[in-house]
Amino acid sequence: MSFVEYEDTIKDGDTAIVFLGHESMFPVKVQHGTVTQTKYGVIRHSTDLIGKKYGSKVTCSKGGWVFILHPTPELWTMNLPHRTQILYSTDISIITMMLELKPGSIVCESGTGSGSLSHALIRTVAPTGHLYTVEFHQQRAEKAREEFREHGVEHLVTVTNQDVCKNGFGVSNIADAVFLDIPSPWEAIGHAKSALKAEGGRICSFSPCIEQVQRTCLAMEEYGFTEINTLEILLRVYNVRTISLQIPDLGKAAEDNSSAGFDSSNPSNQGSPCANLQQGTVQFKSGVPLREMVGHTGYLTFATKS
Amino acid sequence: RKIIFEKQWFYLDNAIGHIYGTTFEVTSGGNLQPKQEVEETTTETKEAGTDNRNIVDDGRSQKLTHDDIKALKDKGIKGQEIVQQLIENSTTFRDKTEFAQDKYIKKKKKKYEAVIAIVKPSTRILSTMYYAREPGKINHLRYDTLAQMLTLGNIRAGNKMIVMETCAGLVLGAVMERMGGKGYGSIIQMYPGAGPVRAATSCFGFPKCFFDNLHEFPLSKVDSLLSGTFSTETLPSEPEDNAQVGEESNGLTDEKQISLQDTEEESTTETAMEINQTDEQETMDLNAEDVEFKENKEKENKENVREKQRKQWERRKKLIEAAALLREKNADGLIVASKFHPTPLLLSLLEFVAPSRPFVVYCQYKEPLLECYTKLRERGGVINLKLSETWLRNYQVLPDRSHPKLTMSGGGGYLLSGITVVLDKGKSDSGDLEALKMEEPSSKRCKVQDLHC
């Protein structure tokens, strides 16, 4: 396993994702002699996991089964231990594209937080790029370092424990892109500018509040950034359902209904209990929005240094 | 070379030697001139009204006539000065609020001060451009949706990707950018018809080496590849076990292939295939010359144009390479974004993907993806299926004037994504549990129906 390279089989020391079904999953650290409890029973790492293929079905002690998945930054984002509020894949995807990241890019990030974005950035800039990430909280910085080591990506990332607003990123004129997710990004714009390459680069700042965005935009303009653009991206997820709607009884005789070919679009809907009734139903597939969705994560402000 | 952009024409010669991001002004001769940083010295006595209660739209606030303005333009006066004239001759300008004045100036500047910035191509720029200018050519794939695809597909250096697209090569280019070219994995592009369209791909300006590991394979041969009847021709470099199969169906497929390649040739010139590509082909021709000589002799009576033969042979070699890559059935992901119905594409192409790998399908419409979702569930071998859509909202951020710009809902298309797993051989044994786990929504559905009855 590595977060930057696919491998076929599970090895001792890997981080793997146990998929229980229905978006319910969790990460495990694969270790000889260890067991993991799930609602379908026990998984014994030595026999059930090590040497098996990623993507295979593992039968647990109670006869239930789970799938073991290769870790990716996206699966990690859904399963990582939260130490802070994190960025999710929807925002991450637009950040990655708008910052024009690719293999070989040098990126600066602050704060590291729980490392959700960090893993995605590392994935994209590998194998020749590098991530410089700054976290002012000592414990979180330590924890992030440990995770990067465990995930086999420590050679692609440098974690610095300092205050980005006061001390900057600890590098200058080497970055292709800078990302800021801190409470007062306007105080770090100057440092961001000096971290970026002399020939230019891209910057992005993530803020939940519009007041933060305004101050950031002013600061960006002051430091000569161009192409300043603020946007927001929202994800809508749909459940795929088969819906049946009953035909209302308008007092017509049953024969009329059926002769008009109106009673049911799908005559083989024997599964529905309503089919027994006199009236027909119409069945169709629908993408039903979830009852609740994420309405706001943050505003993303992008700009160019040229 | 003359280029027309936004109703203006100019030559690019003067732009050479400047760094990306430099802005230029167009002069009358169509030459570009780098624009100097203009110091905004319009801090004269700033006079402004507070509201618009006394501003009446009588159509006579601008004292300059159409002809006056045209005369100014014909004299080749700088746009900046025209704007200044317009402001001075506007009777209502002083009564407008400061914000309205700002807006007025901005609008006039846009019209009279043509400034062009030359920027480096990237997925960001090209996908935004294509969505704004030619959405039909990329099946209305909005740039934020493309960004989702790249992330959900875990596109990165070292992958072996399968891409099936009819988006002018934009999606292919985006994948290539994220994979970073030579030595960093490979891409197999599945194409419909006679050849892959790569008009947008060529806009990226990728170096030649990026095309070394780009393969293509005709969609029409997928079925035969899956069933094992794919003809690989008789080639010295080819392993023996395939040769037998090749011979059996040789007569028929050979003929077909040749005619197919003929049409391909015509269409590739039309679609402006990469210049890089032809270069690359030439270099590859060199080391393959001796083998090719034999090949030629055999077919001399059929065709005598040597050049055509060489190209044909080259294509066949690439085809066989691609087929071999696919046959390993260990791709690291599948990206589909086409004008075709996604269900059959997915059911077939997923066969080539290794377990525990992501796949993403784009469709402009939701309904085909609903069907695809259902069919994939029936097939099995996939988990974490998700049907989604993103909304994008742009903001105007100015002091005391911040608000959303425009909502782009709909039109951006839909995505169906998931992860492959090992396909169950005996499906029946786990049937009960599967029903229990996967069909949870069905119990809810029953409840709803109970209520109805």
Side-chain angles (χ1 to χ4, degrees):
Chain A
M1 178 264 351
S2 160
F3 269 69
V4 289
E5 209 180 338
Y6 281 120
E7 268 163 44
D8 286 340
T9 51
I10 307 166
K11 296 193 311 292
D12 192 23
D14 281 4
T15 298
I17 309 289
V18 178
F19 184 88
L20 295 160
H22 258 300
E23 312 233 326
S24 139
M25 46 186 147
F26 59 87
V28 283
K29 220 186 142 205
V30 180
Q31 277 173 314
H32 263 297
T34 312
V35 294
T36 301
Q37 296 286 344
T38 74
K39 60 176 175 179
Y40 299 116
V42 174
I43 303 171
R44 281 170 227 288
H45 292 201
S46 315
T47 52
D48 295 341
L49 297 183
I50 294 170
K52 289 268 176 66
K53 264 187 128 182
Y54 277 110
S56 43
K57 185 190 260 189
V58 172
T59 310
C60 308
S61 61
K62 285 185 201 164
W65 43 263
V66 297
F67 285 107
I68 307 296
L69 300 179
H70 196 289
T72 65
E74 286 60 54
L75 287 172
W76 181 245
T77 289
M78 286 191 263
N79 293 292
L80 56 83
H82 283 218
R83 300 182 284 272
T84 55
Q85 182 69 260
I86 65 160
L87 279 168
Y88 288 93
S89 297
T90 316
D91 285 308
I92 289 173
S93 66
I94 196 97
I95 291 166
T96 312
M97 184 167 102
M98 291 300 192
L99 288 181
E100 304 185 341
L101 301 183
K102 53 191 176 203
S105 297
I106 309 287
V107 198
C108 291
E109 178 202 30
S110 187
T112 315
S114 306
S116 169
L117 177 69
S118 313
H119 279 84
L121 296 176
I122 292 168
R123 175 262 317 272
T124 306
V125 305
T128 47
H130 200 85
L131 170 68
Y132 294 90
T133 184
V134 176
E135 170 63 53
F136 70 167
H137 192 285
Q138 202 200 328
Q139 234 181 330
R140 279 185 218 146
E142 270 312 312
K143 194 77 193 134
R145 273 192 203 114
E146 194 185 312
E147 267 174 16
F148 294 140
R149 212 168 23 243
E150 269 179 29
H151 294 166
V153 294
E154 57 185 322
H155 57 293
L156 295 165
V157 56
T158 307
V159 185
T160 312
N161 177 211
Q162 65 186 31
D163 184 351
V164 72
C165 296
K166 290 202 186 88
N167 312 106
F169 291 94
V171 291
S172 58
N173 292 327
I174 62 163
D176 296 290
V178 171
F179 177 80
L180 294 169
D181 179 8
I182 50 173
S184 51
W186 55 90
E187 291 175 20
I189 298 293
H191 294 299
K193 192 180 178 184
S194 57
L196 285 167
K197 280 180 178 158
E199 59 261 42
R202 296 275 293 164
I203 185 172
C204 174
S205 168
F206 175 93
S207 301
C209 307
I210 197 76
E211 290 81 1
Q212 293 171 304
V213 175
Q214 280 184 337
R215 295 184 73 166
T216 308
C217 284
L218 283 176
M220 282 177 174
E221 225 163 297
E222 205 178 297
Y223 280 99
F225 282 92
T226 55
E227 267 192 282
I228 302 171
N229 181 24
T230 300
L231 57 86
E232 186 186 19
I233 185 166
L234 293 177
L235 179 74
R236 274 174 81 85
V237 178
Y238 298 95
N239 279 330
V240 179
R241 293 275 162 80
T242 307
I243 309 280
S244 18
L245 291 181
Q246 223 176 313
I247 306 288
D249 178 12
L250 297 175
K252 281 189 189 165
E255 308 83 66
D256 284 359
N257 256 344
S258 53
S259 62
F262 185 58
D263 60 340
S264 172
S265 65
N266 183 2
S268 63
N269 61 356
Q270 68 292 74
S272 116
C274 300
N276 301 335
L277 291 182
Q278 289 241 300
Q279 285 139 357
T281 57
V282 176
Q283 271 201 354
F284 60 93
K285 285 232 178 300
S286 177
V288 187
L290 306 188
R291 216 155 21 147
E292 254 183 7
M293 64 176 262
V294 176
H296 179 69
T297 52
Y299 301 104
L300 292 165
T301 303
F302 295 92
T304 305
K305 173 192 174 180
S306 53
Chain B
R1 203 157 66 98
K2 196 158 133 184
I3 284 174
I4 297 169
F5 181 69
E6 298 282 347
K7 294 181 198 159
Q8 293 204 299
W9 59 271
F10 50 85
Y11 297 96
L12 281 175
D13 306 331
N14 286 353
I16 295 168
H18 291 282
I19 59 164
Y20 282 115
T22 308
T23 49
F24 298 91
E25 277 177 303
V26 184
T27 61
S28 48
N31 286 312
L32 294 170
Q33 212 169 55
K35 186 181 164 74
Q36 281 91 34
E37 204 52 53
V38 204
E39 222 30 73
E40 300 275 323
T41 47
T42 46
T43 41
E44 323 147 13
T45 45
K46 274 218 170 170
E47 247 183 287
T50 49
D51 56 37
N52 60 6
R53 74 181 79 185
N54 294 317
I55 296 179
V56 188
D57 180 16
D58 54 3
R60 282 180 292 150
S61 59
Q62 181 54 257
K63 284 184 289 185
L64 290 179
T65 62
H66 259 293
D67 297 331
D68 293 339
I69 296 168
K70 195 164 180 293
L72 285 175
K73 268 177 151 176
D74 289 343
K75 268 191 262 170
I77 285 176
K78 275 202 161 185
Q80 223 175 325
E81 283 156 29
I82 300 180
V83 174
Q84 197 57 37
Q85 292 248 17
L86 285 170
I87 292 169
E88 275 161 23
N89 287 292
S90 167
T91 51
T92 50
F93 186 79
R94 280 158 179 244
D95 297 329
K96 287 182 187 207
T97 63
E98 208 179 309
F99 296 151
Q101 288 181 354
D102 238 27
K103 205 169 162 186
Y104 183 84
I105 295 172
K106 256 194 195 154
K107 236 167 125 180
K108 297 298 169 199
K109 270 192 174 173
K110 211 171 169 185
K111 196 163 169 189
Y112 296 104
E113 293 180 27
V115 175
I116 293 160
I118 297 184
V119 295
K120 203 175 177 157
S122 66
T123 305
R124 169 177 75 100
I125 302 281
L126 288 170
S127 58
T128 316
M129 187 200 86
Y130 261 91
Y131 187 73
R133 300 203 154 234
E134 313 226 50
K137 284 202 178 150
I138 55 166
N139 303 303
H140 293 80
L141 169 69
R142 207 205 292 137
Y143 45 99
D144 54 311
T145 314
L146 176 61
Q148 295 290 312
M149 294 179 75
L150 298 171
T151 297
L152 290 172
N154 195 23
I155 312 293
R156 62 172 173 207
N159 278 7
K160 171 173 164 183
M161 295 300 304
I162 301 176
V163 177
M164 162 59 208
E165 65 129 291
T166 59
C167 296
L170 178 71
V171 176
L172 178 73
V175 172
M176 285 168 76
E177 186 184 275
R178 284 289 175 89
M179 289 183 49
K182 194 178 173 68
Y184 299 155
S186 52
I187 305 173
I188 305 143
Q189 184 185 16
M190 316 299 288
Y191 62 87
V197 178
R198 290 177 186 162
T201 320
S202 64
C203 296
F204 282 84
F206 289 127
K208 216 161 80 174
C209 64
F210 272 51
F211 292 89
D212 289 354
N213 290 313
L214 173 62
H215 305 270
E216 58 258 354
F217 190 83
L219 208 53
S220 55
K221 296 210 180 290
V222 165
D223 250 359
S224 64
L225 189 65
L226 281 171
S227 60
T229 55
F230 176 68
S231 152
T232 47
E233 320 293 339
T234 39
L235 266 169
S237 61
E238 201 49 24
E240 287 307 306
D241 53 348
N242 296 321
Q244 205 123 53
V245 193
E247 248 153 35
E248 280 173 38
S249 53
N250 220 4
L252 231 157
T253 36
D254 214 21
E255 214 73 77
K256 231 196 278 174
Q257 202 157 342
I258 285 162
S259 67
L260 188 132
Q261 275 161 350
D262 281 341
T263 49
E264 187 177 352
E265 218 147 318
E266 280 160 26
S267 78
T268 40
T269 43
E270 263 175 28
T271 52
M273 266 262 270
E274 270 299 272
I275 309 159
N276 294 337
Q277 272 246 308
T278 39
D279 282 354
E280 175 204 18
Q281 277 183 351
E282 267 161 28
T283 53
M284 281 181 75
D285 276 344
L286 288 176
N287 42 7
E289 208 138 39
D290 51 342
V291 202
E292 185 215 336
F293 187 69
K294 247 191 259 171
E295 187 80 4
N296 265 347
K297 259 190 169 175
E298 281 172 23
K299 307 228 169 167
E300 223 163 45
N301 40 359
K302 262 191 184 175
E303 296 263 357
N304 34 22
V305 189
R306 193 188 145 90
E307 192 55 31
K308 210 170 182 181
Q309 281 271 292
R310 176 190 295 192
K311 272 189 181 159
Q312 232 173 61
W313 188 86
E314 199 48 60
R315 284 228 177 78
R316 194 172 306 145
K317 194 177 156 229
K318 287 207 89 176
L319 182 83
I320 285 160
E321 272 175 34
L325 281 171
L326 286 171
R327 219 183 264 125
E328 291 168 8
K329 299 196 171 187
N330 66 350
D332 294 321
L334 170 66
I335 300 281
V336 176
S338 76
K339 61 184 177 185
F340 300 107
H341 198 296
T343 308
L345 282 174
L346 224 64
L347 291 177
S348 293
L349 296 181
L350 272 181
E351 300 281 320
F352 301 119
V353 182
S356 196
R357 300 292 190 271
F359 62 90
V360 193
V361 202
Y362 167 82
C363 189
Q364 194 185 339
Y365 313 100
K366 190 161 58 172
E367 289 75 10
L369 292 179
L370 294 175
E371 194 205 306
C372 195
Y373 180 102
T374 316
K375 285 273 152 50
L376 283 177
R377 268 281 151 79
E378 282 169 20
R379 171 191 180 267
V382 293
I383 54 167
N384 213 25
L385 284 183
K386 198 157 143 192
L387 177 61
S388 66
E389 171 197 16
T390 48
W391 284 2
L392 189 69
R393 203 158 159 123
N394 280 290
Y395 285 81
Q396 167 182 307
V397 181
L398 290 168
D400 297 324
R401 279 160 294 165
S402 300
H403 58 75
K405 255 192 241 167
L406 72 163
T407 308
M408 286 166 50
S409 61
Y414 300 85
L415 294 179
L416 178 63
S417 62
I419 302 171
T420 55
V421 289
V422 174
L423 193 59
D424 240 346
K425 290 284 172 345
K427 258 190 119 182
S428 50
D429 61 330
S430 59
D432 287 14
L433 238 160
E434 195 150 13
L436 214 131
K437 274 172 81 175
M438 301 295 195
E439 295 300 320
E440 229 163 272
S442 75
S443 58
K444 280 180 199 155
R445 196 165 66 218
C446 282
K447 263 185 225 154
V448 176
Q449 283 169 346
D450 284 343
L451 282 175
H452 277 302
C453 300

